[in-house]
Amino acid sequence: QVRLVESGGGSVQPGGSLRLSCAASGIDFRFNSMAWYRQAPGKERELVVSLPRDGATKHADFVEGRFTISRVVARNTILLQMNSLKPEDTAIYYCHTNTKWGDFWGQGTQVTVSS
């Protein structure tokens, strides 16, 4: 059974940083594409950054070089380092993977950017 568990969300002031983690079980991140999405209140879920199994990462335009996705192979975890956070980055952030069994999502972690 595939399971994704996000952590690391919280409240920060504008310009601050957060690092989100997504721990996976039931799959090996090295052989599956991974991504972070987010959903703000009243808005549709949108892609933040994707990390294909083989290929270059893809960032949404609003990332503007502020967010970085990476794998920690030893812990079967992916990270999302978010710097220079803005109030408009406030949302629930979800981890996603596409596998041969279908798509899987984590439960989400809340990120709030406010002064």
Side-chain angles (χ1 to χ4, degrees):
Q1 182 178 359
V2 177
R3 186 171 182 230
L4 304 176
V5 179
E6 301 99 331
S7 62
S11 296
V12 295
Q13 294 185 341
S17 298
L18 282 173
R19 187 175 71 176
L20 307 184
S21 296
C22 173
S25 57
I27 60 168
D28 188 327
F29 275 169
R30 295 173 296 175
F31 307 118
N32 293 277
S33 62
M34 305 297 303
W36 285 96
Y37 285 75
R38 72 183 188 184
Q39 187 167 18
K43 296 187 177 181
E44 294 186 353
R45 193 170 297 188
E46 61 183 351
L47 176 69
V48 177
V49 58
S50 63
L51 180 59
R53 181 181 63 184
D54 46 6
T57 60
K58 179 180 178 180
H59 298 84
D61 290 342
F62 59 76
V63 170
E64 299 173 326
R66 300 178 297 131
F67 300 174
T68 303
I69 190 171
S70 61
R71 284 191 179 97
V72 182
V73 175
R75 291 190 283 142
N76 207 29
T77 295
I78 61 166
L79 305 176
L80 181 66
Q81 178 66 42
M82 303 189 295
N83 300 323
S84 302
L85 284 162
K86 305 175 182 180
E88 52 264 43
D89 293 319
T90 296
I92 299 174
Y93 285 70
Y94 296 91
C95 182
H96 170 269
T97 185
N98 176 260
T99 74
K100 62 181 179 181
W101 304 289
D103 289 334
F104 295 89
W105 297 87
Q107 82 289 349
T109 185
Q110 177 71 47
V111 171
T112 302
V113 186
S114 174
S115 56

